Amino acid sequence: MENMKGKRALRIKIISMGNAEVGKSCIIKRYCEKRFVHKYLATIGIDYGVSKVTIKDREVKVNIFDMAGHPIFYEVRNEFYKDTQGAVMVYDVADRSSFEALDHWLLEMQNEIGNQTEHDNVVVCVCANKSDRKRVVDESEGRLWADSKGFHFFETSAQTGEGVNEMFQALFEGVVTAVENGGKKAPFQTQLGYTKDQIEAIQKLKNAKSDYERMGVQVGATKDEVNKAYRRLAVLLHPDKSVAPGSEEAFKILVAARTTLLKRCS
Ligand code: GTP
Ligand code: MG
């Protein structure tokens, strides 16, 4: 059982998550069997498969638990979250509700794993799947969500194969690195040169319910306070300086919010 480097073969546990019909089983099939099935065959409860790969000169036996996304299978899949080291979290770029469901899936995993440290060390790859279809969820939206959680992000198509091998490679490498580090996941770094502060500012500007909330000031804030908040956010988000996805749109929202609030001040 020992390879060239004298390390024992590793066994790792991977799960798939995401709404029914987003393409979880097809992504796994594309990777393991190099083929694609058009017909929808809903997973019943859970499917299990094993794949052998070599990662960082090390023989790795991957146990894949492919979960059924439909809510009726919750009682079946819930017991399979324990001891998970890596997760493929899938949504369909042509179905917004499947993207919006990601928070729910994350919560389900968190609840089932129970232990916060264990949960935080699960390596997650978010798949924006069916990238071959007409999309309603922009790549930047998906990337932003993944980045804000410290997850990897890939645009994939089980049909064409786009991104699938790269995604699994990153997932396995992430898990093996964590195992070699005593089970601790490597701290997340976006490779794109933007920060968590920038991502959070963009999300807040896009999702907040009022201009006060968008700019992070109290209702009835003074001109000075509004301008100060504006300057802080403008430094983070100015499109000339920020490469974070969605900066430009967020910056426009920021400018509009500032204008509205300043009018209310006088
Ligand atoms: P559950 O097992 O019910 O949770 O669904 P699932 O997420 O495993 O979905 P599955 O892989 O069975 O795929 C659902 C449907 O989407 C099937 O009809 C697939 O052919 C189709 N599909 C999956 N991936 C892609 C893709 O990348 N592009 C396109 N166009 N269709 C896809
Ligand atoms: Mg399935």
Side-chain angles (χ1 to χ4, degrees):
M1 287 291 281
E2 291 199 339
N3 69 9
M4 299 165 301
K5 291 232 162 161
K7 288 178 184 164
R8 255 176 295 125
L10 259 186
R11 277 169 157 277
I12 65 174
K13 175 174 174 176
I14 301 294
I15 60 168
S16 71
M17 299 155 74
N19 279 7
E21 231 177 310
V22 294
K24 301 179 292 298
S25 302
C26 284
I27 289 173
I28 293 166
K29 190 162 268 154
R30 162 62 67 189
Y31 178 75
C32 295
E33 300 173 25
K34 313 266 176 283
R35 65 192 184 101
F36 176 70
V37 184
H38 280 274
K39 191 164 176 279
Y40 174 40
L41 293 163
T43 304
I44 307 299
I46 199 125
D47 268 341
Y48 169 73
V50 187
S51 178
K52 267 191 185 160
V53 288
T54 305
I55 303 288
K56 299 165 104 184
D57 285 336
R58 199 159 175 180
E59 197 183 313
V60 180
K61 207 171 157 189
V62 185
N63 294 289
I64 305 177
F65 293 81
D66 177 23
M67 294 193 180
H70 197 283
I72 57 170
F73 294 117
Y74 168 70
E75 295 293 340
V76 183
R77 67 173 181 259
N78 64 0
E79 62 191 80
F80 289 93
Y81 282 100
K82 285 252 147 51
D83 303 322
T84 292
Q85 292 156 295
V88 179
M89 195 181 258
V90 185
Y91 69 92
D92 172 353
V93 297
D95 172 12
R96 177 160 290 276
S97 63
S98 73
F99 173 61
E100 284 165 357
L102 294 184
D103 282 312
H104 162 83
W105 282 102
L106 196 55
L107 210 61
E108 180 171 307
M109 175 161 78
Q110 206 156 7
N111 287 339
E112 297 308 323
I113 289 181
N115 180 312
Q116 187 69 35
T117 312
E118 205 181 312
H119 170 264
D120 291 346
N121 282 310
V122 176
V123 177
V124 180
C125 284
V126 176
C127 298
N129 193 43
K130 308 199 188 182
S131 62
D132 56 281
R133 291 180 69 194
K134 193 172 170 339
R135 69 171 63 237
V136 296
V137 183
D138 282 343
E139 177 175 345
S140 66
E141 263 185 282
R143 196 174 280 286
L144 206 56
W145 187 86
D147 268 356
S148 72
K149 307 289 177 198
F151 299 158
H152 300 262
F153 176 84
F154 292 87
E155 289 257 316
T156 60
S157 167
Q159 181 167 331
T160 67
E162 186 208 343
V164 173
N165 287 342
E166 293 86 338
M167 184 276 294
F168 277 109
Q169 185 70 26
L171 185 64
F172 299 158
E173 274 183 20
V175 172
V176 171
T177 304
V179 170
E180 288 175 344
N181 193 26
K184 217 173 155 314
K185 183 164 89 175
F188 176 68
Q189 284 176 326
T190 81
Q191 287 140 21
L192 301 165
Y194 50 87
T195 64
K196 208 157 179 285
D197 282 353
Q198 287 175 316
I199 293 164
E200 279 168 7
I202 291 168
Q203 282 184 326
K204 197 165 168 189
L205 280 160
K206 281 188 170 174
N207 300 330
K209 301 271 185 294
S210 74
D211 285 327
Y212 295 109
E213 201 189 317
R214 272 178 205 107
M215 297 199 61
V217 297
Q218 301 282 329
V219 176
T222 64
K223 250 183 187 154
D224 269 1
E225 286 164 343
V226 171
N227 281 327
K228 204 172 150 202
Y230 170 79
R231 279 194 297 275
R232 186 182 70 81
L233 289 165
V235 167
L236 281 178
L237 297 177
H238 197 286
D240 289 350
K241 295 189 190 107
S242 171
V243 295
S247 296
E248 214 172 293
E249 194 192 333
F251 188 71
K252 281 181 193 157
I253 297 171
L254 172 66
V255 171
R258 177 205 194 194
T259 309
T260 310
L261 291 188
L262 285 179
K263 276 185 197 151
R264 282 184 208 158
C265 287
S266 47

